[in-house]
Amino acid sequence: MPSLELFCEINAKLGAKMVGKMPGGVRIDFPFEGTATGPHWEGERPVKGLDYATVRGDGVMDLDIRGIIGEKREQVAYQGTGVSLPVSETEAHPRELITFQTGDEDLAWLNQVVGVAVGKGDSGVLTLSVYIVRD
């Protein structure tokens, strides 16, 4: 039975850039920047990226995320897709599926796993818990 293992906690500030109406809904780009903490390294690592979101007719956002945790040789790039469920005008709850790419020898195992993330975006602040799916 698969289980979830905490990989990291992300705390970041969110920006918002309205792109406009698209065939699938209204596109909004959300750049984010902050820190990631986790049991696989000591202290905080910087995290930054961009979430390309399309707000569908039902108010749910389709997510396409690109991000980087760490710097230089300790970088972990990640790519995610998912949805963000609206709670209010300022709050939404993202649900994401994630893959990773890294050249960091200590974290090379990430190149062969998938992750899931759940969290909250509220008033320009993103909190996200990222888990690794283990067999």
Side-chain angles (χ1 to χ4, degrees), residues 1-112:
M1 172 71 105
S3 62
L4 298 178
E5 172 189 317
L6 180 65
F7 175 63
C8 71
E9 300 279 349
I10 293 174
N11 292 292
K13 291 186 178 183
L14 282 170
K17 178 184 175 192
M18 180 68 68
V19 177
K21 287 187 178 185
M22 305 288 165
V26 177
R27 165 90 176 271
I28 306 170
D29 291 349
F30 292 99
F32 59 90
E33 190 168 344
T35 58
T37 57
H40 299 283
W41 62 80
E42 290 187 24
E44 295 181 340
R45 288 189 177 184
V47 62
K48 61 183 173 182
L50 185 58
D51 186 347
Y52 306 94
T54 302
V55 182
R56 306 182 320 208
D58 62 1
V60 173
M61 287 184 267
D62 286 331
L63 306 177
D64 180 10
I65 305 128
R66 304 289 186 275
I68 296 178
I69 298 170
E71 298 176 301
K72 301 179 183 172
R73 293 179 187 228
E74 296 179 337
Q75 270 190 8
V76 174
Y78 66 93
Q79 179 174 318
T81 186
V83 295
S84 191
L85 310 174
V87 175
S88 72
E89 287 188 21
T90 62
E91 183 179 345
H93 292 180
R95 306 290 185 252
E96 305 168 4
L97 301 172
I98 299 174
T99 57
F100 305 90
Q101 291 183 334
T102 185
D104 182 339
E105 291 181 14
D106 292 335
L107 295 174
W109 56 270
L110 284 169
N111 295 320
Q112 302 172 11

